[in-house]
Amino acid sequence: MGRFVRAVVLLGFVGCGGEGETQLSFEEWAERASATMCAYAERCEGSTTPREACVVALLDAYAALERDLDDGLDGAKSGCVRCMRARTEALTASLDSGCEQAPEVARIDAACGVDNSACGGVP
């Protein structure tokens, strides 16, 4: 019984079910979101923009946005992170299906708001 209790306590400290992802920094979520959005644009939408250029452009936009969010309202940065996470997860699901499954637009819209307002208009 003692081993079971220790295992449960250890799992509580380590976490399970992807909880560690919520602890990523704004920059780390921006990197994930940018890479996923550009991969989706290339593979599912047929974008001809080189993936590296796409990622750099998005990372630059997120970096500028982060400075604005740091000076803004409390919670604004976490709202943008929620948006990036929702978008990343929805696009990843589509990529994983070979672009057969459309992204959950309603989920993205709910997390990101009208015109991506959660992230100041940055996709």
Side-chain angles (χ1 to χ4, degrees), residues 29-45 54 58 62 82-109 112 116 123:
W29 273 113
E31 289 171 0
R32 281 188 181 196
S34 298
T36 302
M37 283 189 281
C38 295
Y40 178 83
E42 180 183 73
R43 289 177 39 201
C44 301
E45 295 178 332
C54 174
L58 283 171
Y62 278 123
R82 277 191 299 277
C83 170
M84 288 189 283
R85 181 177 182 166
R87 184 181 309 281
T88 299
E89 290 171 351
L91 295 179
T92 297
S94 182
L95 286 165
D96 289 348
S97 75
C99 305
E100 294 295 319
Q101 175 185 329
E104 295 179 67
V105 175
R107 179 177 178 211
I108 295 169
D109 289 348
C112 299
N116 297 309

Side-chain angles (χ1 to χ4, degrees), residues 1-90:
M1 184 68 168
R3 286 185 188 163
F4 176 75
V5 171
R6 278 184 259 161
V8 170
V9 170
L10 180 61
L11 282 175
F13 284 125
V14 173
C16 57
E19 288 296 316
E21 288 187 352
T22 60
Q23 300 304 315
L24 295 176
S25 70
F26 183 93
E27 184 178 344
E28 290 166 324
W29 273 113
E31 289 171 0
R32 281 188 181 196
S34 298
T36 302
M37 283 189 281
C38 295
Y40 178 83
E42 180 183 73
R43 289 177 39 201
C44 301
E45 295 178 332
S47 174
T48 57
T49 301
R51 190 181 299 190
E52 297 79 23
C54 174
V55 170
V56 167
L58 283 171
L59 287 175
D60 287 348
Y62 278 123
L65 174 65
E66 184 176 20
R67 288 188 296 274
D68 292 342
L69 292 176
D70 284 338
D71 296 334
L73 300 171
D74 288 339
K77 200 170 188 178
S78 64
C80 184
V81 167
R82 277 191 299 277
C83 170
M84 288 189 283
R85 181 177 182 166
R87 184 181 309 281
T88 299
E89 290 171 351

